[in-house]
Amino acid sequence: MGYYIKVEPNVKVYVEDLNPKGKHTILFLHGWPGSHDLFEYQFDELPKRGYRCIGVDQRGFGQSDRPFTGYDYDRLSDDVRNVVEALKLKDFTLGGHSTGGAIAVRYMARHKEYGVARLALFAAAVPSLIRRSYFPYGLTKQAVEEIIKETYNDRPKMLRGFGDMFFFEYITGPFSDWFFQLGLQAAGWATAAVARTWLGEEELFSDMKKITVPTLILHGIHDKVCLFPLAEAQQKGIKNSILVPFAYSGHGLFYDQRDKFNKKLMEFIKS
């Protein structure tokens, strides 16, 4: 079941709601530059196991409205709050991949964990996607600047290159084309704007310290986008967190090792 939820007077985001009467709700926040469809191989399986799965397309991506502004973590986490309130969600698991993980962590801090019983981070861009003077891990600023430049110059080429580094092992041509199309659905300006947030002051060190709920960290050791030391920093910075390394995964661990991913997520929710 899909529908739209208003998050600002002139902005609506698209929500896919599977198995609304499920025993436990998982709200999924996708990574850049995809949509909720990235979680297809979770949505195929988890509702069959009795879970309610809600996928949100962030503004500018997927089937959501594409305003020209509003792509900082504060605004994107406020959009999530609007979805949570509209659907009256309580005691749910908030799951976020990559930039979606960063938005989830900002939500936890900014909205005081509103409605969330558990947090799950998948290859999250936390605490910082880029290297900083006080954080020697992550991508270089130059690498992100190149992504932004290519977004404005030849976005399809940039997306192809990003897809090539996303998964750990060989993916078929048709699957690569599917992943490519997800990125093309986004607005170019939204794609660049979110990438620009990584370069600015968007870091989540203090946000992590405000998280009190049980937290699961799933991260591929071969991740070339959000490098594995980010996961170790998350475990160090978030109380009551568990880190599960994925030995045969890159950034797309929800596909690279989808059976293990689904199993670990369900075990965490039941624990």
Side-chain angles (χ1 to χ4, degrees):
M1 179 166 62
Y3 43 78
Y4 286 89
I5 291 173
K6 186 183 286 189
V7 294
E8 277 191 305
N10 297 311
V11 181
K12 299 184 298 297
V13 296
Y14 180 77
V15 172
E16 191 82 50
D17 192 350
L18 301 168
N19 194 21
K21 297 191 186 220
K23 60 189 175 185
H24 182 82
T25 299
I26 312 169
L27 179 64
F28 289 86
L29 304 179
H30 65 83
W32 177 97
S35 72
H36 79 278
D37 286 320
L38 281 173
F39 297 111
E40 175 174 333
Y41 296 91
Q42 284 63 60
F43 296 165
D44 283 348
E45 195 61 34
L46 298 179
K48 289 193 292 192
R49 307 292 185 93
Y51 294 94
R52 180 186 187 186
C53 292
I54 301 172
V56 181
D57 284 350
Q58 291 153 30
R59 63 169 63 204
F61 297 84
Q63 299 178 59
S64 289
D65 286 348
R66 314 196 305 172
F68 204 70
T69 58
Y71 296 100
D72 60 281
Y73 289 167
D74 283 354
R75 179 63 255 177
L76 292 168
S77 72
D78 291 351
D79 289 352
V80 175
R81 174 66 181 257
N82 279 294
V83 170
V84 170
E85 289 187 348
L87 298 181
K88 298 183 171 58
L89 301 182
K90 294 178 182 175
D91 298 321
F92 66 96
T93 294
L94 179 61
H97 172 253
S98 194
T99 301
I103 295 163
V105 168
R106 177 56 52 84
Y107 175 89
M108 298 298 282
R110 183 172 170 84
H111 295 285
K112 301 184 171 137
E113 304 180 330
Y114 182 81
V116 179
R118 293 173 182 272
L119 176 66
L121 301 175
F122 323 132
V126 177
S128 172
L129 183 75
I130 65 165
R131 297 175 200 167
R132 299 176 185 271
S133 59
Y134 49 87
F135 188 69
Y137 312 108
L139 301 179
T140 63
K141 288 183 82 167
Q142 290 78 10
V144 174
E145 286 166 352
E146 187 62 28
I147 286 172
I148 295 168
K149 178 182 171 187
E150 283 302 302
T151 297
Y152 286 126
N153 183 52
D154 188 341
R155 188 163 65 103
K157 180 186 173 190
M158 182 279 293
L159 290 171
R160 280 291 186 201
F162 187 69
D164 289 343
M165 66 187 291
F166 200 92
F167 300 98
F168 171 52
E169 295 184 308
Y170 171 77
I171 54 172
T172 65
F175 187 91
S176 176
D177 290 343
W178 170 80
F179 182 78
F180 176 64
Q181 290 300 325
L182 293 186
L184 282 180
Q185 282 184 326
W189 56 88
T191 303
V194 170
R196 273 199 302 272
T197 67
W198 305 330
L199 288 175
E201 298 305 311
E202 293 286 25
E203 44 92 346
L204 300 144
F205 292 92
S206 61
D207 299 70
M208 290 193 303
K209 294 177 183 174
K210 297 175 184 175
I211 296 169
T212 65
V213 302
T215 300
L216 176 67
I217 301 163
L218 304 180
H219 212 108
I221 66 171
H222 302 284
D223 197 325
K224 295 177 183 174
V225 181
C226 295
L227 306 184
F228 191 73
L230 270 65
E232 296 172 324
Q234 292 161 32
Q235 184 185 28
K236 195 173 178 182
I238 300 174
K239 299 185 293 259
N240 201 16
S241 62
I242 306 161
L243 170 59
V244 181
F246 277 54
Y248 305 102
S249 286
H251 196 51
L253 71 168
F254 47 79
Y255 181 76
D256 285 333
Q257 289 182 268
R258 51 198 173 278
D259 292 340
K260 177 179 178 179
F261 183 99
N262 293 344
K263 182 171 178 276
K264 291 297 180 184
L265 183 55
M266 288 187 286
E267 285 175 352
F268 170 66
I269 291 169
K270 289 175 186 172
S271 64

